[in-house]
Amino acid sequence: VELADDEKEYLEVSPMRGTGDGELTVTLGPNYLPQTRPGSIKVRTTDPSQLSHSIYFAQQKYIFGLADVPSTGVAAHAQSIEFNVNCSGNWKVELDADAQQFVTVESGASGKGNGKVSVALPMNKAASERRGKIIVSSTDNEDLREELTVSQAGYVFRLDKDSKTVAILGETFNVGVTC
């Protein structure tokens, strides 16, 4: 049995030598690459005729990505964001330091195969916007990762008047409130 050098890292054939009729057991390790992995196994005789046959294979690619991701620019009120993870293997969700200040992973912090993630954002009571990153990565291949930047608007509270001069005899007036 002959294998290419790069195939020896993930491909095992047993037995590598033999006589007469028999059976080969072929074992391929996981393919954590985002592309199909091709290869071949060449079996040849050791007699002077050097007859050979090859079997070719194509190992499925590793699938990783996010789906059904809603807008991640959200209003100041409390809310949840949900999205799906499509993955051939294991994955995890992490929050960067900024997101850790205001985002909570409610469900789907990690998983195997396809899954759903739900994160909660409490009301932003500050006037300024806040931002953070939700990072979803394959635990099988750390190079496969996606980042979602979440930005939550600041809380808006204002009156349409700062002051009002009132007549001596009194008066009724309105004040617009934005909240």
Side-chain angles (χ1 to χ4, degrees):
V1 175
E2 295 175 11
L3 304 174
D5 286 340
D6 63 333
E7 292 173 343
K8 292 177 183 176
E9 296 175 20
Y10 64 89
L11 179 62
E12 184 178 307
V13 179
S14 175
M16 290 294 284
R17 302 179 76 78
T19 57
D21 294 342
E23 185 171 279
L24 299 174
T25 300
V26 179
T27 305
L28 279 82
N31 180 11
Y32 296 127
L33 303 173
Q35 65 266 357
T36 301
R37 179 165 56 186
S40 65
I41 301 164
K42 184 176 185 177
V43 181
R44 66 175 173 79
T45 63
T46 55
D47 64 25
S49 68
Q50 296 286 305
L51 297 172
S52 67
H53 287 284
S54 295
I55 179 170
Y56 299 92
F57 61 86
Q59 188 175 15
Q60 293 179 333
K61 68 181 179 178
Y62 190 88
I63 295 171
F64 179 79
L66 305 181
D68 304 320
V69 179
S71 171
T72 54
V74 296
H77 65 273
Q79 57 199 292
S80 293
I81 296 174
E82 291 185 347
F83 56 90
N84 293 317
V85 178
N86 297 326
C87 187
S88 299
N90 299 300
W91 51 272
K92 65 181 177 181
V93 176
E94 297 175 296
L95 305 172
D96 74 359
D98 293 329
Q100 289 176 21
Q101 303 301 312
F102 70 100
V103 177
T104 303
V105 179
E106 291 183 311
S107 63
S110 62
K112 181 175 184 171
N114 298 337
K116 181 175 279 210
V117 176
S118 179
V119 296
L121 289 77
M123 185 169 109
N124 184 1
K125 295 179 182 177
S128 59
E129 176 186 75
R130 56 188 179 185
R131 294 176 160 277
K133 289 183 181 176
I134 301 169
I135 303 150
V136 183
S137 60
S138 163
T139 57
D140 302 316
N141 180 349
E142 293 286 334
D143 292 335
L144 298 176
R145 61 188 279 145
E146 295 211 22
E147 296 181 356
L148 301 174
T149 299
V150 176
S151 58
Q152 187 176 28
Y155 185 71
V156 177
F157 176 71
R158 67 177 173 258
L159 304 178
D160 69 351
K161 295 177 178 59
D162 289 335
S163 63
K164 170 75 172 147
T165 302
V166 178
I168 293 173
L169 298 177
E171 129 184 33
T172 300
F173 65 92
N174 296 318
V175 177
V177 178
T178 302
C179 184

